[in-house]
Amino acid sequence: MRTYARVLPAVVAGVLVVFAPTVAAAPAPGGSAQLPFPLTLQPEGVQAPAAVLAEANTGVIVWSRQPDTRLPIASLTKVMTAVVVLESGDLERPVTVSHAAVDSAAAHGGSTAGLVPGEVLTARQLLYAMMLPSGCDASYALAEAFGPGRDAFVARMNATAHRLGMPNTHFSDPSGLPVPDDFATYSTPAELVRLGRHAMGNPVFREIVRTPVQHQPAGPANRQHVWENTNGLLQEYPGTAGIKTGSTNAAGTCLLFEATRGGQRLIGVVLNSSPHDLDAATADARRIMDWGFLPILSSLPIG
């Protein structure tokens, strides 16, 4: 089912007033829906079959497409991995990268942060390694340290999802790789936005996901690394604050995003914008946010 609504913000004396009526579309045979408004009153050209845009301060959904459909989420999983680590504390804890962490990422062709077995990095450094280049090796190293062990860590991920009110979300792996199969880890657009809002409430998380490039100097027990953020919105879309890209064969290309214009803050997600083209997810996010931000906000200061 598709639902459509429009946030109509007015900035008066620095106060943002948001009106968010919700209008449900009538379902049509085969799972499609009749559109309740002319196309000009919804974002145009969005390829993703499932997506949500919400007002970030309140969580009110202002536009959605299949918001409650369970789908594989690829490396958007790493947002929950980061949440569990951050809520554990002890970010200066040294973590030794295991052979198993590196081998597991390689076995499924996952993206990596270029970690090598035996090097030691702090949990904070590994969060950058996981969230910027989407290092599956870093996610496994963190899970092994903070579970302790992967199974215990995945159990903590699912417990956190339950606590956050995400009944249609399940994790089977800390990296989002298809372990044990393509659909073992899944969520919905609406619940991913809920997770994103929770994560962005942590200042350390916000700082990490807004970082375009992180230079990690060589140390006594680690190599030098340069980790570049896979989120193209950071360079292409003014006001972007994060959050995370994802891509697997089953999930297609996905993007969880947040941006601010003139005091209005939007958060959203697109799932399976394209089989393999991450630029398609970036373009979908741009279209949705261009629709969500009122034209007057384009001329106001960013942030």
Side-chain angles (χ1 to χ4, degrees), residues 192-210:
L192 286 170
V193 165
R194 178 173 296 182
L195 174 61
R197 289 185 66 235
H198 177 78
M200 291 297 274
N202 185 298
V204 176
F205 183 90
R206 289 190 69 88
E207 181 60 30
I208 291 171
V209 298
R210 70 183 296 175

Side-chain angles (χ1 to χ4, degrees), residues 22-85:
T22 302
V23 181
S32 62
Q34 299 291 332
L35 302 182
F37 299 126
L39 288 176
T40 53
L41 294 185
Q42 57 185 288
E44 298 181 4
V46 177
Q47 298 183 53
V52 158
L53 180 69
E55 200 284 317
N57 292 313
T58 63
V60 171
I61 293 177
V62 299
W63 177 80
S64 66
R65 176 182 288 173
Q66 308 260 7
D68 301 316
T69 300
R70 293 181 177 183
L71 292 167
I73 59 173
S75 285
L76 302 191
T77 298
K78 294 182 175 83
V79 175
M80 179 61 86
T81 302
V83 166
V84 173
V85 171

Side-chain angles (χ1 to χ4, degrees), residues 143-157:
E144 291 167 4
F146 281 85
R150 292 188 204 176
D151 290 345
F153 190 87
V154 170
R156 295 182 64 189
M157 295 171 72

Side-chain angles (χ1 to χ4, degrees), residues 250-274:
T253 56
C254 309
L255 180 57
L256 181 62
F257 53 90
E258 183 186 295
T260 300
R261 293 278 177 92
Q264 184 187 3
R265 193 158 62 97
L266 297 176
I267 187 169
V269 65
V270 292
L271 299 181
N272 203 3
S273 292
S274 165

Side-chain angles (χ1 to χ4, degrees), residues 38-190:
L39 288 176
T40 53
L41 294 185
Q42 57 185 288
E44 298 181 4
V46 177
Q47 298 183 53
V52 158
L53 180 69
E55 200 284 317
N57 292 313
T58 63
V60 171
I61 293 177
V62 299
W63 177 80
S64 66
R65 176 182 288 173
Q66 308 260 7
D68 301 316
T69 300
R70 293 181 177 183
L71 292 167
I73 59 173
S75 285
L76 302 191
T77 298
K78 294 182 175 83
V79 175
M80 179 61 86
T81 302
V83 166
V84 173
V85 171
L86 288 164
E87 292 185 351
S88 300
D90 194 15
L91 296 186
E92 306 314 314
R93 173 180 176 178
V95 176
T96 301
V97 178
S98 69
H99 281 277
V102 174
D103 292 346
S104 294
H108 293 278
S111 52
T112 77
L115 305 180
V116 298
E119 70 175 317
V120 181
L121 294 154
T122 67
R124 186 188 303 271
Q125 291 164 343
L126 285 172
L127 285 172
Y128 280 94
M130 178 176 69
M131 297 303 292
L132 272 63
S134 200
C136 295
D137 44 2
S139 67
Y140 287 128
L142 287 167
E144 291 167 4
F146 281 85
R150 292 188 204 176
D151 290 345
F153 190 87
V154 170
R156 295 182 64 189
M157 295 171 72
N158 286 312
T160 303
H162 177 76
R163 191 188 87 224
L164 295 179
M166 301 170 62
N168 293 304
T169 296
H170 180 76
F171 299 100
S172 66
D173 181 83
S175 73
L177 288 172
V179 178
D181 58 59
D182 284 338
F183 297 92
T185 292
Y186 57 82
S187 187
T188 71

